[in-house]
Amino acid sequence: MASPAFDSNPMRAPLPALTPEFVAQHYPPHLQVVHVDLLHRHGERTPVAHRIPQLSPKHWNFCATGNQLHQEFLRTVGLVTGSSASRTADQQQSPWQNYVFKQDPRSSTGGSVFAVSSTAKAHSSDTSQQTSATCGFGQLTDTGRQGLAALGAHMRALYVDTLNFLPSTLPADAGSMLHLRTTSYSRAFESLQHTLGGLYPNMSSSMLRVHVRPSDRDNLFPDFGCKNMLRQFVKLNKQNIDNCGQEYQQLYQDMLAVPSLRAFFEQEYKPGKARVAVSVMDVVVPMRAHDMNLPPEINDNFIERVARMAAIEYLQSSWQSPALARMQIGRLVHELANNMASSVQADRTHNSTNPRLSIYSGHDTTLAPLLAVFGHDAEQQTPDAPADLTWPKFAASIRIELLKDTQSQCPTVQPAWEQDAADPSADPPFDQRVRPSGVPRSLYQWSSGRNPRPITQINPRATRDYYVRVWHDDRILLLPTCRDPGAHHAKLGSSVCTLDGFFKQIARFSTSEKEARLECLQC
């Protein structure tokens, strides 16, 4: 079945077309899907704060459906009374909040990281009007809802209609089949809702548990309370800006040539207090995504340059320092490694209660450091930005597929590190690890071959029937470790890693909660 096509919105992440040729190439009959982790960024949203009033309106009226859903929910739980039609525009807006929990300790706008908001005086010429469709800052728009529904529909076309990996309707015990996580941001929570709506469009009575962690314990984005991480983050970001000074200065000058951007910098921008490209990107990308009027100078090429420079300002440092990437996203990497291990064990024992699909609804700051983890090459470290470094688009996704080959011969070449991968001894320093901490000893206490069984001794080749493939939007990520002889599928090549090859790639980035706390305290 063909994948539902995304529209022409260039600010939204692309997905592969599910043609018969695509399915035959990547999903031959002997390659079974065992488990999938889907991590996605939320859909299109409004800016996190109102800035650049010479360019952006004060009121973004793209949330008619979203505001209605908020009102219906609040009335259901008894927080508002009366019909939505009987309330004024101000009353329509007031119940919306940026976080699932009102007691969330972060700022109410979510925008203080980037730049100051525009003053009321700056809106004197603004002609936009507040309506029942007016969005809050940082709110998932109706366009964003459609984008995540399209992602869910793509998942259904692949894993339900094509591969029969997931059932066509949710069973009564759907909670054992799906594991659902989201951050406490409303836009992430609602994005998860619409991803599920695309995956199971006729879902009605199923009760699903959604896991939301307190912000100080959430591993779906960096913990900026980690002083060691923040110190390295700021230092490396400054170095990266200095290293691309000519490119950065040229973009800055091109921004100043746009009258509305020049006015913003002259009136509001505080050098050293906010990042130039990130501040502009947060406004122009949502405007382009919602087909709003932009000056002719701010075309798609200009926005692409801004997004790349924003990535250099804010994301490149994760590629340069494994320690920084580990402190940013290592606890989530640890969880993903455990997902793979528990799914292998469940497959071996025919345990049907282990989730087949885990969905993590997060942010650009969830996906960006993960991409650095999967792209890290210890043998080719350079201060230059990766050629394809850019900011994750709206609805961007990473899919981690655990696969099992029931027919092809397993790799016969033994990687030099394979014996160490099964060594159950104490974990060595991060940069010497070849398997993530927490992977259980029992994973390797199985015999090899087509009829495996539990054994008491360690078998380094116990996982050789299992493979991992990582997708980013519409392309496969080629993990550097998986190029090693014996670390990838004999026929499908290095795009399909052995499980141990995948473990080796992420091992130095995986950190337990205890290890993360200790590393954050280091000077």
Side-chain angles (χ1 to χ4, degrees), residues 10 22 47 50 54 56 61 64 124 142 151 166 168 254 304 325 369 376 385-386 393 400 436 439 500:
F22 175 91
H50 186 63
Q54 300 84 355
S56 168
N61 298 322
S124 57
D142 294 344
L151 175 61
L166 297 174
S168 59
D254 291 346
E304 189 174 308
H376 176 78
K393 294 186 176 185
I400 307 173
V439 171
D500 278 337

Side-chain angles (χ1 to χ4, degrees), residues 182-230:
T182 176
T183 70
S184 61
Y185 283 84
S186 297
R187 58 180 174 270
F189 192 99
E190 293 168 358
S191 292
L192 174 61
Q193 174 191 4
H194 289 278
T195 301
L196 283 172
L199 179 60
Y200 286 105
N202 297 320
M203 179 175 58
S204 56
S205 59
S206 297
M207 295 291 292
L208 298 175
R209 182 185 298 274
V210 177
H211 299 265
V212 185
R213 296 184 181 180
S215 59
D216 59 347
R217 292 179 49 211
D218 202 336
N219 61 8
L220 285 177
F221 42 56
D223 175 15
F224 285 95
C226 175
K227 294 182 179 180
N228 187 16
M229 187 273 292
L230 188 60

